[in-house]
Every structure is written in C-alpha cells, then in structure tokens.
Amino acid sequence: MTAFRPRIYVALDFADPQAAQSLVAQLDPRECGVKVGKELFTRTGAEWVRALVGQGFSVFLDLKFHDIPHTVAQACQAAADLGVRIVNVHASGGRAMLAAARRAVPVAPDAPALIAVTVLTSMDQAALAEVGIARPLPEHVAALAQLAADEGLDGVVCSAWEAARMRSVFAQTDPWIVTPGIRPEGSAVDDQARIMTPREALLAGASELVIGRPITRADDPAAAVRAILSSIPT
Ligand code: C5P
C-alpha cells in the first residue's frame, strides 16, 4: 500500500462498470483516491477493486458493514486482503461488533483505516423514533462516535460541519475525518444540503474529502481534481 494519503476520494457512483472504468482511466492515483460503494461493488466485485488497488489507487470501500461481530470481522479482513485504504462499519452495530472489526483490522501502516458511520444523513428525528431511538439526533450521533472511538476505530464519516466535534472525540493524532457534502466554489449543489468548499472543510477539521459529481460530471475530471488540489492548504 502506498504511503501517500490522498485528500480527495472521488465517489464512483456509477451503475455501469464501464463508465466507472473510463472515469478512473482519467484519474491519477498520485492525486486522488476513489470511493467504491454498494452499487458499483455489487456490479463489479472484489477483483475489480483489487485491480484498482493494483493501479495504485487508494480505495475507500464504502460498504458500511453491519452484522454480527464474527461476520463483520471476516468482512473487514476480506477488505484488508484486497488492499483497500479505508473500510467502514455502522457504529450502531454495537461495541462487540466494533471491537471485533478492530481486532480483524489492527492498526498497522499497511492496514486499512477502519472508520465508523454514525447516523445516515437520510435519517431524521422522526425516522429514528420509528426504529425506537428517542434521544435527540445530535446526541445519538455523538454517542455512536464515542462508542467507535472507545473501541479504537480510526475515525468517522461525517459532514464537514461536524468535523471539529469529531476531532475531539477521536483524540488520536491524525484521525480519519472523512467528509462528503463537498462542493468546490461555483459548482452545482445537487441534492446535498449542508455543503462546504474543499478548503473550508479541511480548515474545519476534515482530513479526507469525498467528492462525486463535481468531478465525475466535469468535462475534464482530471482538471477538476487538480483545480480542487490547488484550492486547498498543502
Ligand atoms: O456527488 P456527491 O459529491 O454528492 O457524492 C457524495 C458521495 O458521498 C456519494 O457517494 C454519497 O453517497 C456519499 N455520502 C454523502 N453523504 C453522507 C454519506 C455519504 O453524500 N452522509
């Protein structure tokens, strides 16, 4: 695994593996990583991810594992075996599940960062109530992040607006505060609600930026990556 820690992960939100492949062919693994989620992974499979790693890309395997501890541990191990850079799990899977994931992917220079998802941004207070969670949403997010930090996870996926607070929860040096909802100056907001520019997000405490459409829909995706890189602190 390369020592280079890219600041940008391009979200490969494509239904068509060939479209994903042609976008990847325009990107430089020395400039950005890529995020592979459930849709693309289910279409392409592990060997495609292994090939991305083989091309030198840092891969965020965004499969949000949530299952019994043994199953999640085995899945995290399988992700580590692919050579991906970031793997994530739902903190709501509970303490034993988080601990099992951590044991499966111990902290090591060549192991993936193991990060937590707290509450999906598609959930609001009413949706939480329907699954039996009465406490205020921000309190629930904070409690889940603390649980993940207590079990030694490396960081969290969160909005850049929560990055500073998450930095104080994940007190280790250099936590992985991975933030979607990023929009470079002047680009379309799409369906994102609370956005920040790449520069604002990093200054607010983000360590990695997940950026999809502003790059994948650009006429020149490589130029879009470079423009973002030139806008952020080094
Ligand atoms: O195209 P865009 O930059 O909005 O893509 C953002 C990526 O981050 C998508 O893959 C989306 O699913 C993901 N994401 C998000 N908000 C979250 C968690 C993940 O936008 N809270």
Side-chain angles (χ1 to χ4, degrees):
M1 192 182 297
T2 157
F4 167 58
R5 185 169 162 179
R7 291 296 150 212
I8 301 172
Y9 281 79
V10 180
L12 300 178
D13 293 323
F14 294 99
D16 172 12
Q18 275 175 351
Q21 188 61 57
S22 65
L23 191 273
V24 166
Q26 299 174 67
L27 301 176
D28 185 338
R30 294 165 300 182
E31 294 178 338
C32 63
V34 291
K35 180 174 86 74
V36 177
K38 288 188 172 89
E39 181 183 20
L40 187 59
F41 183 81
T42 304
R43 292 195 184 278
T44 56
E47 287 316 309
W48 194 79
V49 171
R50 201 190 290 279
L52 282 178
V53 172
Q55 289 161 46
F57 282 101
S58 292
V59 177
F60 173 7
L61 190 61
D62 182 18
L63 297 182
K64 302 185 182 70
F65 296 134
H66 186 173
D67 210 310
I68 60 171
H70 176 72
T71 302
V72 167
Q74 297 298 103
C76 287
Q77 178 66 63
D81 291 346
L82 289 177
V84 303
R85 194 63 188 278
I86 311 177
V87 59
N88 60 1
V89 299
H90 272 283
S92 53
R95 190 182 295 283
M97 191 206 81
L98 294 168
R102 180 74 288 175
R103 282 194 300 276
V105 184
V107 177
D110 59 348
L114 175 63
I115 66 174
V117 175
T118 58
V119 177
L120 295 171
T121 44
S122 54
M123 301 283 282
D124 59 11
Q125 195 69 57
L128 280 186
E130 280 176 346
V131 293
I133 293 154
R135 64 181 164 189
L137 194 152
E139 215 176 280
H140 191 50
V141 168
L144 288 173
Q146 190 61 58
L147 188 63
D150 290 347
E151 293 310 318
L153 268 68
D154 300 305
V156 71
V157 183
C158 66
S159 153
W161 294 88
E162 296 162 352
R165 200 150 45 87
M166 290 298 153
R167 255 185 199 264
S168 62
V169 173
F170 290 86
Q172 68 265 53
T173 340
D174 242 357
W176 293 66
I177 310 294
V178 179
T179 60
I182 304 297
R183 287 293 176 272
E185 209 80 62
S187 60
V189 171
D190 304 309
D191 52 0
Q192 293 287 3
R194 297 168 72 227
I195 56 169
M196 276 199 201
T197 66
R199 180 181 172 78
E200 287 167 343
L202 291 169
L203 294 176
S207 56
E208 273 75 21
L209 311 171
V210 171
I211 309 177
R213 287 160 289 181
I215 295 170
T216 59
R217 294 194 181 165
D219 292 337
D220 183 345
V225 170
R226 279 184 213 121
I228 294 167
L229 288 174
S230 67
S231 76
I232 62 180
T234 47

